[in-house]
Amino acid sequence: MKYLILSDVHANKEAFAAVLAHVKRKPWDKVVFLGDLVGYGANPNQAVDQMRAIRKPFVGIRGNHDKVCSGIEEGELFNRIALEAAHWTRRKLTKTNLKWLKALPQGPLVVDKRFAIAHGTPIDEDAYIFGEIEALNIFRQTDYPLCFFGHSHFPVIFALSPDAITTILTVAPSFRFKLKPGVRYLINPGSIGQPRDGNPLAAFALYDSDSGVVTIHRIDYQVAAAQQKILKAGLPRPLADRLALGR
Ligand SMILES: [Fe+2]
């Protein structure tokens, strides 16, 4: 089975459209979404519509921004800019799209008995895995051989073999990695709509469970158009600026 792994779209219609156009002619069977479809960007309804319009089986979980934007939580832990964007998003979402977002389940979920998915971590959906210490804690507290996660907006692979934990950093525009038997993995495909690894290209992954190959792709998109929309909507300027920087 071939999975399209998507995370942290953040209401960036241009980035999402570029990713979907790129995978149109690639073979894949199911969409796996790791959360944060909305928040920050200027096109929350379009992002939900884009996701719902994909005519393939879908499995997805909510992100912290999906929770605050749909009113499940009030965002006490959000910074001022994130909160302002979340309130703006809540006002803009149609009833149907708000309901759809609200219905996204909480992670972790196990997909087809093959791998787990989580937004932040499989223990706490709002917590981050930035480095090996956090990754090791998660490996110790869970027993998933493979878990895809999002939230940090940083594409990375953590591998736990019997004798070491390793960080594998990905290379743009396409990074191919074959999973090894007996090694456990935590994999972040990166963010579609708001990358934070210093590279502004939209990030996503494809996973072939038969061959055990994960490919992390980076795709160029119309960054300037997404930025202009953010400014035109009256959303905080740093949200537009950071798209060009990828951080
Ligand atoms: Fe996010």
Side-chain angles (χ1 to χ4, degrees):
M1 179 88 104
K2 292 182 175 66
Y3 298 90
L4 173 63
I5 318 271
L6 309 175
S7 193
D8 295 279
V9 176
H10 282 290
N12 187 333
K13 179 191 164 187
E14 285 72 23
F16 200 8
V19 168
L20 294 174
H22 186 86
V23 298
K24 210 169 180 181
R25 277 185 214 92
K26 287 188 186 289
W28 51 275
D29 310 295
K30 190 178 258 190
V31 189
V32 176
F33 175 57
L34 311 180
D36 277 2
L37 187 50
V38 300
Y40 294 141
N43 284 134
N45 284 309
Q46 291 84 344
V48 179
D49 292 343
Q50 283 169 303
M51 189 69 89
R52 297 178 70 185
I54 299 174
R55 286 192 202 90
K56 292 270 177 84
F58 169 90
V59 57
I61 51 173
R62 67 192 192 185
N64 54 323
H65 287 259
D66 301 322
K67 280 193 290 183
V68 179
C69 293
S70 66
I72 292 173
E73 283 182 4
E74 283 311 312
E76 288 90 349
L77 298 175
F78 273 29
N79 63 40
R80 187 187 56 78
I81 287 174
L83 197 59
E84 194 178 325
H87 288 159
W88 180 90
T89 303
R90 204 186 289 178
R91 290 196 300 275
K92 291 285 167 188
L93 281 168
T94 64
K95 258 190 189 159
T96 316
N97 286 342
L98 192 129
K99 202 173 148 195
W100 189 89
L101 281 170
K102 246 184 181 167
L104 281 172
Q106 177 177 359
L109 284 186
V110 173
V111 179
D112 301 335
K113 298 183 182 165
R114 288 196 172 103
F115 58 87
I117 58 172
H119 184 61
T121 85
I123 302 295
D124 178 349
E125 60 182 341
D126 295 341
Y128 288 91
I129 304 173
F130 286 121
E132 289 173 357
I133 293 172
E134 290 106 328
L136 187 59
N137 274 327
I138 298 304
F139 281 128
R140 281 180 175 154
Q141 292 177 73
T142 61
D143 56 5
Y144 305 121
L146 170 62
C147 177
F148 290 95
F149 69 99
H151 195 36
S152 67
H153 300 203
F154 198 109
V156 63
I157 298 170
F158 295 107
L160 183 73
S161 63
D163 54 352
I165 182 162
T166 316
T167 304
I168 297 137
L169 296 175
T170 64
V171 183
S174 172
F175 181 81
R176 189 180 182 278
F177 185 82
K178 190 166 165 56
L179 306 182
K180 295 173 186 70
V183 180
R184 293 173 62 200
Y185 294 96
L186 281 164
I187 301 181
N188 190 327
S191 164
I192 291 177
Q194 203 202 79
R196 286 185 200 154
D197 62 333
N199 180 348
L201 302 181
F204 70 96
L206 284 161
Y207 171 52
D208 182 338
S209 62
D210 297 325
S211 64
V213 171
V214 177
T215 321
I216 296 182
H217 296 271
R218 303 306 290 263
I219 301 295
D220 201 2
Y221 74 96
Q222 295 175 309
V223 175
Q227 288 179 304
Q228 278 162 22
K229 283 184 185 170
I230 286 173
L231 296 175
K232 208 175 159 202
L235 286 160
R237 175 171 280 276
L239 293 175
D241 293 343
R242 67 190 309 177
L243 289 184
L245 305 169
R247 57 170 63 99

